[in-house]
Amino acid sequence: MEIQFAYPSFNWSNNAKGGAGVTVVIIGVGVKNNSPKSLYLENNLKNSVKHINPYLAGAPTIYVNSKTKPINYLPEMVRGNYTGCCNALILTSEEKEKLIKNEPSSVKFIRPFVGSSEFIKNDFRYCLWISDNLLNEAKQIPEISERIDKVREERLKSTDKGQNNIANRSHQFREFNETTIQSVIVPVVSSQRRNYIPTGFISPGTIVPNSAQIIYDCETWVFGVVSSRIHMSWVSTVAGRLRGDYRYSSSICYNVFPFPEVNQKQKEQINLHVFEVLEEREKHSGKTLAQLYDPDKMPKGLKEAHHQLDLAIERCYRLKPFESDIERLEYLFKEYEKMINKNTLLEKPKRTRKKKA
């Protein structure tokens, strides 16, 4: 049996109380044959393809497996600092202002705190960021000392042994990672209405929690890759879902995304288009990224800058532009298969002959 036709995921309108969030796919299965298969897209547009795979893409049957490290030519992406049992280390804008007003010396321990929601909606939160060598100084401030004690209590009460083990390090999140030059932030959860995931740069001094993925201290061109249409085609196909949103996972959206090795000239070309995207964002600095990347309201200049960036990224694959997402995905799945086969060969241990006695 094989898939003969498919309508990829769409939101189902229904009369449920409160408007139940339901996503539907329609799949027709039949006996294998050599006839063209029908893949329907938005507005019921039909595309004839040779195969429809389990991801409802016009490509042969291939299963995408997650990897803990990149097997492409991209730098490592990780989750931000885990914040479990650490609510006392996180401050609202009002709490931050009050703390600084009461204890001016506390300002050296406060950092901007930017996760997925904060980044996309331009919300402002802060956190206490205390290195080990400044712990005694920080504990001289009564409110900070109280907050550290609360974290210790939460960790000791937790049923997670890992939290119990770090109870004596209650002045810090579980991880203590920060940017030293520039990092790229990728929201974990993002609306599938958007044509692009709103990604961006994180400067030194800003702390990223585990509600976002982050590529620490990477080169500028990497932003172009994760912000591209071809990467979005891959994400929309293989990513998990949280209601009507994409759930971005580094292990399957990024680490196994088929991206070729690029030379310095290609990186410089991508950088030029990245700066154009950033310049267009700056022209609308009064708007949040949620507003800028609303597909119905995206400014023409920003849309064009992204289009030019898309073309630059796609030229890294081939000179002929892709005509549709179906064509992009068919190409990506073929490249994924090559990449996996190459990686398997590299990982396979060499056999050694035993010397005869």
Side-chain angles (χ1 to χ4, degrees):
M1 306 293 283
E2 65 179 353
I3 299 174
Q4 300 290 340
F5 69 85
Y7 288 80
S9 60
F10 59 92
N11 292 327
W12 175 50
S13 299
N14 57 84
N15 297 321
K17 186 177 180 181
V22 180
T23 302
V24 178
V25 295
I26 301 175
I27 301 168
V29 179
V31 177
K32 283 186 177 181
N33 57 63
N34 295 323
S35 62
K37 311 300 182 281
S38 297
L39 190 58
Y40 293 84
L41 300 180
E42 292 180 6
N43 303 319
N44 289 330
L45 293 175
K46 184 174 80 170
N47 289 271
S48 293
V49 295
K50 292 180 181 179
H51 308 278
I52 299 177
N53 70 12
Y55 300 94
L56 304 188
T61 298
I62 297 170
Y63 298 97
V64 178
N65 296 310
S66 62
K67 295 286 183 180
T68 56
K69 301 286 183 182
I71 60 171
N72 43 36
Y73 294 96
L74 297 172
E76 185 175 8
M77 174 187 285
V78 297
R79 284 291 280 265
N81 298 287
Y82 182 70
T83 59
C85 296
C86 291
N87 286 336
L89 297 180
I90 301 170
L91 309 169
T92 63
S93 295
E94 293 76 15
E95 289 171 331
K96 169 224 173 191
E97 294 300 328
K98 184 180 177 182
L99 177 57
I100 293 175
K101 182 179 179 181
N102 295 336
E103 299 285 351
S105 61
S106 65
V107 70
K108 70 187 293 184
F109 303 112
I110 299 173
R111 298 280 193 91
F113 183 79
V114 178
S116 294
S117 179
E118 292 85 2
F119 181 71
I120 293 175
K121 298 177 182 177
N122 207 23
D123 291 336
F124 294 97
R125 288 204 294 170
Y126 301 86
C127 70
L128 295 175
W129 194 252
I130 306 166
S131 58
D132 292 337
N133 62 313
L134 294 177
L135 176 59
N136 290 334
E137 183 181 346
K139 292 181 78 171
Q140 298 304 309
I141 300 171
E143 184 177 334
I144 291 181
S145 183
E146 288 174 13
R147 287 176 176 271
I148 291 172
D149 289 341
K150 285 180 182 178
V151 173
R152 184 174 185 277
E153 291 170 11
E154 284 298 310
R155 284 178 171 170
L156 288 173
K157 286 192 298 184
S158 175
T159 55
D160 182 350
K161 289 185 178 180
Q163 291 288 359
N164 303 154
N165 293 337
I166 58 173
N168 290 328
R169 193 167 61 81
S170 51
H171 58 292
Q172 295 173 346
F173 298 129
R174 187 180 68 186
E175 291 89 24
F176 198 67
N177 299 321
E178 59 180 316
T179 297
T180 57
I181 303 172
Q182 70 171 16
S183 301
V184 169
I185 182 173
V186 180
V188 168
V189 178
S190 178
S191 171
Q192 64 180 12
R193 285 188 65 244
R194 299 187 183 110
N195 295 320
Y196 302 94
I197 294 176
T199 57
F201 289 100
I202 293 296
S203 55
T206 299
I207 305 305
V208 175
N210 61 310
S211 64
Q213 303 279 3
I214 185 165
I215 310 167
Y216 281 109
D217 297 321
C218 63
E219 296 178 81
T220 301
W221 63 270
V222 178
F223 168 94
V225 177
V226 294
S227 302
S228 66
R229 176 69 178 270
I230 195 165
H231 184 58
M232 194 65 189
S233 297
W234 180 260
V235 172
S236 64
T237 303
V238 303
R241 296 290 192 276
L242 182 64
R243 298 183 298 276
D245 299 332
Y246 296 122
R247 191 168 181 84
Y248 193 102
S249 162
S250 61
S251 61
I252 203 161
C253 294
Y254 180 83
N255 291 346
V256 296
F257 171 59
F259 188 72
E261 186 175 14
V262 289
N263 58 40
Q264 190 58 36
K265 185 177 180 180
Q266 288 171 312
K267 291 177 183 179
E268 290 170 1
Q269 283 295 314
I270 295 170
N271 286 345
L272 291 175
H273 294 292
V274 168
F275 293 135
E276 288 175 0
V277 168
L278 298 177
E279 285 173 10
E280 287 298 327
R281 285 184 182 181
E282 278 299 311
K283 292 178 183 178
H284 307 275
S285 56
K287 293 185 177 181
T288 65
L289 289 177
Q291 294 169 326
L292 285 178
Y293 283 85
D294 183 325
D296 298 327
K297 302 174 183 177
M298 193 173 183
K300 289 182 180 179
L302 181 59
K303 192 179 293 186
E304 179 59 23
H306 265 286
H307 176 62
Q308 294 303 321
L309 174 60
D310 292 338
L311 294 176
I313 294 295
E314 292 180 7
R315 281 194 294 270
C316 296
Y317 292 91
R318 68 183 199 187
L319 294 179
K320 182 185 176 184
F322 293 97
E323 294 182 3
S324 67
D325 283 338
I326 288 179
E327 192 177 348
R328 289 183 183 92
L329 286 170
E330 186 176 2
Y331 189 93
L332 286 174
F333 275 107
K334 288 178 181 177
E335 292 302 301
Y336 171 77
E337 191 170 25
K338 291 178 187 175
M339 183 175 65
I340 289 296
N341 290 338
K342 180 180 178 181
N343 192 64
T344 302
L345 288 173
L346 291 173
E347 290 178 348
K348 191 177 290 184
K350 293 181 180 179
R351 292 184 177 182
T352 55
R353 286 186 178 183
K354 291 183 178 180
K355 292 182 179 180
K356 292 182 180 180

